[in-house]
Amino acid sequence: MMSILELLSKTMKEPIPFGSLSDGWFHYLSLIFVIFCTYIFTRYLKHKNQKQIQKYLLIFAIILITFEIYKQVIYSYSNAWHYRWYAFPFQFCSIPMYVALITGLTKKKAVYEAGISFLATYGLFAGLAVMLHPGDVFVDTIGINIQTMIHHGGIAIVGFSLLFSKQVSYKINTLIKASVVFSIVVLIAILLNAIFNTWINDGTFNMFFINPKFTSNIPILFDIQPHVNAVVFNLIYYFGFTLVALIVFKINTSFIYIYEKKKPLKEQQLQKSKA
């Protein structure tokens, strides 16, 4: 068992996002992988029905959960089997993993629609944000770097490919459905932070980076936090993330709409040239 854990803890030079080729090759390779898989899965999901998409999401969720279990074990192993509370898997970027699982298993249409709406808006935003601005997600453990790129790259791929499917509406009600899910998970994060601060209080526990006990590391928000109380800060966080999710959603749906409009014209021109 120990030899397996040692193997899974092999190290590498910590990647530097957008660094030189020798320093940032892992990040560049991950970006290429995400672009390639996005192309494959947008084509794959384009004409799939609900049952087929649920199967796709269930497989995706199982992959992410498997890697997350690996991450939790390795983090504890490397810390003399003391749990690292800061790595508790309920951050904003962790939520698509649970949403995909529930959406893949549910038989209720309302839950399914809310789930795919969340994955195509907030989930897509979360994945793109980390892939384009990794910050401090890279470490010197090979497996953890693979896990974080599969996780964040995966939720970006799923979010974008769902937009190409016929299951997600391009109207504002998609974000409304998604915001219901976001409201629930934000409330859970607030509750978890309160429980930790009251009864555990051991190490760093900052779910969604909105625990008033700790300083948020989210750009812009860490400048706002010292000047407002916890309730106002949480509201700013909620509506700020919702606004960004809306912007990302509208940019991507506009791109897809233009692409879909131009495609028949290109096909007609190709047919005329052949004739």
Side-chain angles (χ1 to χ4, degrees):
M1 182 65 181
M2 294 300 293
S3 60
I4 293 173
L5 289 171
E6 286 292 335
L7 179 63
L8 295 174
S9 302
K10 290 292 184 180
T11 59
M12 64 183 292
K13 181 180 179 181
E14 185 174 320
I16 299 176
F18 297 109
S20 64
L21 190 59
S22 61
D23 293 329
W25 67 268
F26 185 83
H27 182 217
Y28 294 130
L29 186 62
S30 299
L31 288 172
I32 293 171
F33 175 78
V34 168
I35 293 170
F36 174 75
C37 288
T38 299
Y39 173 76
I40 296 297
F41 286 109
T42 51
R43 292 175 63 86
Y44 173 76
L45 286 189
K46 192 169 184 179
H47 302 292
K48 299 300 181 184
N49 57 34
Q50 177 178 333
K51 187 176 181 180
Q52 292 169 319
I53 287 179
Q54 284 186 290
K55 183 178 179 181
Y56 165 76
L57 292 177
L58 187 57
I59 294 171
F60 167 71
I62 291 171
I63 291 171
L64 292 198
I65 291 170
T66 301
F67 272 100
E68 183 62 41
I69 292 171
Y70 155 78
K71 173 185 170 182
Q72 296 298 319
V73 171
I74 293 302
Y75 268 23
S76 296
Y77 167 69
S78 63
N79 195 39
W81 293 113
H82 295 295
Y83 188 70
R84 298 178 188 262
W85 283 106
Y86 70 83
F88 187 80
F90 202 84
Q91 294 291 5
F92 176 57
C93 290
S94 308
I95 302 306
M97 173 172 63
Y98 307 120
V99 172
L101 180 64
I102 294 170
T103 307
L105 293 173
T106 188
K107 294 183 179 179
K108 295 184 177 180
K109 189 171 180 61
V111 175
Y112 170 76
E113 290 179 349
I116 61 173
S117 296
F118 180 87
L119 293 169
T121 52
Y122 292 93
L124 177 58
F125 157 48
L128 288 177
V130 173
M131 292 306 300
L132 298 177
H133 183 67
D136 58 356
V137 300
F138 289 124
V139 294
D140 63 357
T141 305
I142 298 172
I144 298 298
N145 289 332
I146 293 173
Q147 181 272 334
T148 194
M149 287 294 96
I150 287 178
H151 185 101
H152 296 98
I155 60 179
I157 293 165
V158 166
F160 199 71
S161 59
L162 283 173
L163 287 177
F164 262 92
S165 73
K166 306 301 181 183
Q167 300 287 308
V168 177
S169 169
Y170 292 174
K171 297 179 181 179
I172 194 66
N173 65 342
T174 293
L175 188 71
I176 294 172
K177 293 175 184 176
S179 66
V180 173
V181 179
F182 188 52
S183 300
I184 294 170
V185 296
V186 168
L187 289 174
I188 293 174
I190 293 171
L191 178 61
L192 289 174
N193 287 331
I195 291 172
F196 180 86
N197 294 345
T198 305
W199 286 291
I200 302 176
N201 204 20
D202 176 27
T204 303
F205 188 88
N206 194 4
M207 298 304 99
F208 282 41
F209 299 106
I210 55 175
N211 189 337
K213 184 179 177 180
F214 304 102
T215 301
S216 175
N217 66 353
I218 302 172
I220 301 177
L221 290 179
F222 61 64
D223 291 322
I224 296 174
Q225 189 180 25
H227 305 291
V228 297
N229 62 38
V231 174
V232 173
F233 180 71
N234 290 339
L235 289 173
I236 292 172
Y237 172 91
Y238 177 85
F239 288 108
F241 269 50
T242 299
L243 176 61
V244 177
L246 173 62
I247 292 171
V248 172
F249 174 66
K250 294 304 291 183
I251 290 173
N252 282 289
T253 51
S254 297
F255 166 76
I256 295 169
Y257 179 78
I258 294 170
Y259 172 80
E260 293 292 344
K261 282 289 185 181
K262 285 185 175 181
K263 190 176 178 182
L265 293 175
K266 289 182 179 180
E267 289 176 351
Q268 289 176 12
Q269 292 172 354
L270 183 61
Q271 289 175 356
K272 286 181 180 180
S273 64
K274 287 181 178 179

